[in-house]
Amino acid sequence: MKFRENIPELSKIEIEAILKTPDEYQNMCLEMEEILSLMRDQNKTFNRLYLDLLFEHFYYQDIFDGTASTTEITFAQNSKKRLLKNILRRNQKTT
């Protein structure tokens, strides 16, 4: 049975009424948990992209200025490759 069928005036409902209907409450909690999980994933992706862009900015700035040595450039390129491998490996485990 659907929650809207039980209480037609959904906009005037109080939380106590929601708690009295366990199936709908459980579904609502599961949906909220899914939303929070997606938000956490989005936050992780944003933080990873932010740091990646910041790294690339300073990397290219050092190259254009001529202040980066070949050792630093090689280290940065190898770090980027390792990071991408770890991300791919993590994504394969989750799918």
Side-chain angles (χ1 to χ4, degrees):
M1 191 175 332
K2 298 208 180 231
F3 188 71
R4 289 181 189 268
E5 294 171 0
N6 289 339
I7 303 173
E9 295 179 61
L10 191 60
S11 62
K12 297 180 182 178
I13 191 167
E14 296 180 6
I15 192 68
E16 290 80 18
I18 294 174
L19 296 175
K20 290 179 185 176
T21 54
D23 293 337
E24 284 75 15
Y25 175 69
Q26 185 178 24
N27 290 340
M28 182 180 66
C29 287
L30 291 173
E31 289 175 8
M32 288 176 63
E33 178 60 34
E34 178 67 22
I35 290 169
L36 290 173
S37 174
L38 292 172
M39 289 173 70
R40 283 190 291 268
D41 291 345
Q42 185 180 28
N43 192 23
K44 288 178 189 176
T45 302
F46 172 77
N47 288 336
R48 187 172 51 236
L49 290 174
Y50 170 75
L51 293 175
D52 193 34
L53 286 172
L54 191 64
F55 171 78
E56 284 191 32
H57 166 73
F58 287 112
Y59 171 70
Y60 288 123
Q61 182 179 354
D62 288 349
I63 289 175
F64 291 140
D65 290 345
T67 58
S69 67
T70 55
T71 307
E72 291 173 328
I73 294 171
T74 305
F75 175 77
Q77 290 170 342
N78 290 338
S79 297
K80 181 75 172 181
K81 287 177 187 176
R82 281 193 301 272
L83 178 67
L84 290 174
K85 283 181 185 179
N86 288 336
I87 291 171
L88 289 174
R89 193 175 314 136
R90 191 178 318 129
N91 287 342
Q92 288 174 350
K93 287 181 183 178
T94 59
T95 55

